[in-house]
Amino acid sequence: MAQMKSKRKTKHRGNAAGVIESRGRTGRPPSPQERKKQARQSRMNKPPTWKGSAQRAALAGVIMFAVLYLTNHNKHSSNRLLSAVAFAIVAMAIYTPGVFYFERSLYRRRMANPKR
């Protein structure tokens, strides 16, 4: 008897109720570029959150603190530290809603035009 052209890679799996579950994708595995593209598309399809915006603003605040603390050449180190902390907190307070609304506008634009 002649053998089939190609053998099935995975077998059908039945569950306790007797329902046969589908095998899923049986073709070639996706390449690293295809996996990266799929991950990016799934990440880009999620709406922005306040938590994510706060994390980005906190990162910007830390960077601003470091830059201000290192570039401020006052003799009094307490004023130098206090001013750097104050500016970093103000920057975080301003950046958080700014980042959120900016990301929300980009998200809405992407969802309105899915070809991009």
Side-chain angles (χ1 to χ4, degrees):
M1 186 168 166
Q3 188 177 1
M4 294 181 2
K5 288 185 181 180
S6 64
K7 291 188 175 184
R8 188 172 60 224
K9 302 285 185 199
T10 60
K11 63 180 186 175
H12 294 292
R13 301 185 183 276
N15 59 17
V19 177
I20 305 284
E21 296 173 356
S22 64
R23 291 191 316 250
R25 181 177 175 169
T26 59
R28 65 172 176 77
S31 67
Q33 289 90 3
E34 290 172 338
R35 267 188 259 135
K36 195 182 297 184
K37 185 177 178 183
Q38 288 172 351
R40 183 172 185 262
Q41 285 178 343
S42 66
R43 188 173 61 240
M44 298 295 277
N45 290 339
K46 292 181 183 175
T49 61
W50 283 102
K51 181 181 176 184
S53 300
Q55 289 173 345
R56 287 181 182 83
L59 179 64
V62 168
I63 292 170
M64 180 169 278
F65 168 79
V67 168
L68 290 174
Y69 186 74
L70 294 174
T71 59
N72 192 355
H73 298 293
N74 282 345
K75 293 179 183 177
H76 305 290
S77 64
S78 64
N79 286 345
R80 182 175 153 186
L81 179 67
L82 187 64
S83 65
V85 168
F87 273 107
I89 290 172
V90 169
M92 285 174 51
I94 292 171
Y95 287 169
T96 302
V99 169
F100 176 78
Y101 289 116
F102 178 70
E103 286 180 351
R104 189 173 74 168
S105 68
L106 291 178
Y107 172 76
R108 287 181 175 173
R109 189 175 181 189
R110 268 194 310 271
M111 292 299 113
N113 190 1
K115 286 190 277 185
R116 290 185 179 181

